Amino acid sequence: MVIIKELKDFVDVHGVLLAASGVPAVLYQQLFEKLSSETFDGGSFFQIELCENGKQKRLVLSCDTLLKDSQIFLVDHAWSFRLPDARNQLQEIPELVKRMATLMCVADEFDLEACENVTGECGQVSINEAKENPQDIIDRELCKAREEDRDVLWLELEDFQIDDEMLCSLDLSSKLPNLVGLNLWGNKLETIESVAQTVGGFNQLRALWLNENPVLKHCGTVLRNILLDLLPQLEIYNSQFTHNYSQWALGFCAGIYGAEKPVDKEQRACPLKDVTELDLSNRSIHNLSNKVFNPLELPLLTSLNLRGNPLDQNSAENLLELLHGFINLQSLEVDIPGPLGSSAVKIAETLPNLSSINGVSASKILEEEKVIVDSNLEPRLPEWSNGEPLIDRILRAMWMYLMTYRLADEEKLDETPVWYMMDVLGSALRHSDVPNFKIVPFLFMPDGKITSAISYSVMWPNNDVHKGEECTRDYLPGIGEDKQRSSRLTAWFHTPEYYFIQMHDQYYHKLHSTAFRYPVRRDSQTQSIRPNDGRPLLVYTDNVQVEEFLNRPEFVLTDDIKKADVVWTSMQIDEEFKKIAGLKDHQYVNQFPFEACIVMKHHLAQTIQQAHGDPEWFQITYNLETQLSELIGDYLVRDKEGQNNLWILKPWNMARTIDTTVTGYLPTIIRLMETGPKICQKYIENPTLFKGRKFDLRYIVLLRSVQPLEIFLSDIFWVRLANNQYTLKESSLSDYETHFTVMNYRGQLNHINTDEFVSEFEHEHNERWVGIHEKVRAMIRAVFESASALHPEMHCPTARAIYGVDVMIDSAFQPKLLEVTYCPDCTRACKYDVKAVVGSGEIIKGSEFFNDIFGCLFLNESRHVSQL
């Protein structure tokens, strides 16, 4: 044991960590001293300010200047946890809830004291102050119009709790027939009839706001189509442009038209000629019509914002040609990738008059060949509904702040990552693509052992910082566009939605255009491998069940791997293993080459999708390492359409649900990429239940040959049951014993014999098991046919293997493939005698399981298996 007393000891023990974290060597002494004395001196250098209307905090330098690499600061970890434990910890520790809610700016009830002190220039407003009645507003507008000898052209009735009955009673179309703008945002309108009856008579209406009314949730698209037919002059509907938009809509966005000036009384020929800045962001513009938007109408335009518009009826080339005509245009805001293409460099080259694109200098874009640039993304700010539990707010907002690490020593890497929330100093560091600070986790081991490690973060300036400047960090250090940087920033910022939706649409159409031709089935060609002289086959194995239960005379166990006829191991058998173990080509092994195409989750999804596209027996799945944009698009489409948006994240190559998470929150999905490569698969939210509990099924598949495909299904399969009643309550999603079924390694294992399960299942659901079983057989055959057709390199004449195939059944009794597992745990198959539920119905002894498996694979028998 090393007790660290001097800098040399510190560097010797922490050298690898120091190098990996990038801490400059010039700061080692200072870091050692601060760690040894537990010096947290950030308060002398920084101050924390509220921003974004109190929903975020930022860190500002309060001292004169900090030079690059001149100081290093300790940041404490206010909360460290493993993800499955997060909710329980918050429920058990009220003070933790209070502290986290304050750090994350989601704590209305805990900020009362601060609110009492922030009166300032705003003064005080009585919460009981009466709000005007809608009829009073109308009467006042009519009176004012009569006095000025004009019509009422604009009416603001936002947030008046107006319901359908009240809206009809106001008789707006009779009293105010010439309205140009009507704002009904945030009321309680629920039916199409009342809205259509009220606004249908406004022949001059150009702008209508019904945002945040219940009617939009139930029938928004239908209502939109009806109103566009009824209102031929409508140009702006719910803040978005209609296909009828004209110079008036552009003028509204430019501030020319609005409540104070609904129309141009002078009826000038070029009402937009003096406009220099135009913000058209998030207006759902599909076609940037050059009849309305052109240099003749907007000759002085210098600044243009086109963010958040699909512009899908214009080609990138046509849009660039149109913008090229605006000779005074200097500043452009646009989604990249987006309607102008996927390269900021190309945009800058095509529009040489631009001085900036998305807030970044055009010259810098060209100099550094920046493909994607953006300095003005809007941050995701905490939102919550009235009465939402504080713990739920924290569990959602925490993904804006959390950082992660994984413990490791010389022998083992911890399978479950640690997530942590930094203290108020570290949490106030916001993002910048050009940060002036770097911050990393650091484990201080005062006695040289990881068991005594204390976790901190350390931060230091990586650029000169001056008084009053905001201190920032890069949320994605070392991650460029080759690792989907722009898409991953969606975890913290509102990124261009239409781009992701477009990527998803392309992927969807690709999947649904896939047509798989099943290979011609050929007769079996394998034969028994038992020697002609009748001697038994020598088997080398490290599998405890094979050692215990393989006892038929045709097979004899051996400890000498070089002499074995059959090598049955859980180790990966690659060329290096063969060389070290001395294996020869004639020896049979229980692995097929390139079987990763089915046993690694991302490859399994790719194999199925290449062959079958989007089959009904496989949930839509994305490889987050390469398909994050498509996943984000899918999530956004489901969100807009009100579909279920629960997803399950699974590591590529881990078993037993390690690091597996169920979530319906997009930032969580994206941030979980940081703990290792994963797939994101649509969660089966409506599974068939067994006595109210979730279950899945483990089947054993025997693969004797890939080409021709010889595949068998064991008559033995078993059910795996969750321990708790199934629910989709958000508070249950982290409950392992509700949403997961593998209880061999955690939780309480509740075994039920397969024949009992099938009998009770049929009685509970009035559904014959034989029909489900046939669907399972066809599905499994399709999976292995796909692998055989797409990956002929799997074929190996000296390979024989078994695989675990996990299946769930949805509420329509459609089997769904979950995963395929190499060298499956067959403890239950060996432990229990079961009655066959298909075929003969005989009792199958568990002790004979591996005798039957080896008989099929190596002796060409078919006892208690059936060929697929």
Side-chain angles (χ1 to χ4, degrees), residues 4 7-25 28 31 406 408-410 438 440-445 448 450 458 460:
I4 296 175
L7 178 62
K8 181 180 181 302
D9 300 327
F10 173 72
V11 174
D12 288 344
V13 170
H14 300 88
V16 173
L17 183 57
L18 288 165
S21 63
V23 174
Y28 286 2
L31 176 60
R406 201 184 288 261
D409 57 24
E410 295 177 353
K438 185 171 182 180
V440 295
F442 191 87
L443 294 179
F444 179 47
M445 296 173 280
I450 198 168
V458 295
W460 67 94

Side-chain angles (χ1 to χ4, degrees), residues 463-482:
N463 282 300
D464 293 350
V465 190
H466 303 288
K467 185 174 183 177
E469 289 184 1
E470 181 176 358
C471 305
T472 58
R473 67 180 176 97
D474 186 352
Y475 285 165
L476 294 169
I479 294 176
E481 287 307 320
D482 59 325

Side-chain angles (χ1 to χ4, degrees), residues 286-305:
H286 292 269
N287 182 5
L288 196 61
S289 172
N290 57 13
K291 294 180 180 179
V292 177
F293 178 83
N294 60 65
L296 292 177
E297 299 291 343
L298 294 153
L300 301 181
L301 188 65
T302 60
S303 176
L304 174 65
N305 188 344

Side-chain angles (χ1 to χ4, degrees), residues 7 117 150 179 189 199 223 302 371 410 448 462 468 514 526 555 576 618 621 652 744 753 756:
L7 178 62
N117 294 330
R150 61 171 176 82
L179 276 183
L189 305 177
V199 304
L223 179 60
T302 60
V371 176
E410 295 177 353
N462 57 354
T514 301
T526 57
F555 301 94
E576 183 179 358
F618 191 68
T621 302
W652 282 359
N744 306 52
N753 287 334
E756 295 176 20

Side-chain angles (χ1 to χ4, degrees), residues 544-552 716 826-834 843-854 863-864:
V544 293
Q545 279 88 34
V546 175
E547 288 178 345
E548 181 176 357
F549 295 108
L550 182 63
N551 51 27
R552 56 188 297 176
I716 295 178
C826 294
T827 301
R828 284 210 242 179
C830 299
K831 184 175 182 180
Y832 300 102
D833 297 342
V834 298
I843 300 296
I844 304 175
K845 290 188 173 295
S847 59
E848 292 296 310
F849 176 76
F850 273 108
N851 286 335
D852 293 338
I853 294 294
F854 273 66
R863 185 167 178 261
H864 299 140

Side-chain angles (χ1 to χ4, degrees), residues 205-222:
L205 197 65
R206 292 175 181 257
L208 172 64
W209 288 271
L210 296 170
N211 310 59
E212 298 181 17
N213 276 279
V215 66
L216 297 182
K217 292 184 179 180
H218 308 308
C219 39
T221 303
V222 175

Side-chain angles (χ1 to χ4, degrees), residues 405-424:
Y405 61 82
R406 201 184 288 261
L407 294 171
D409 57 24
E410 295 177 353
E411 298 179 356
K412 185 180 179 182
L413 176 68
D414 195 342
E415 294 174 330
T416 307
V418 174
W419 292 90
Y420 63 93
M421 181 82 181
M422 293 184 288
D423 65 16
V424 66

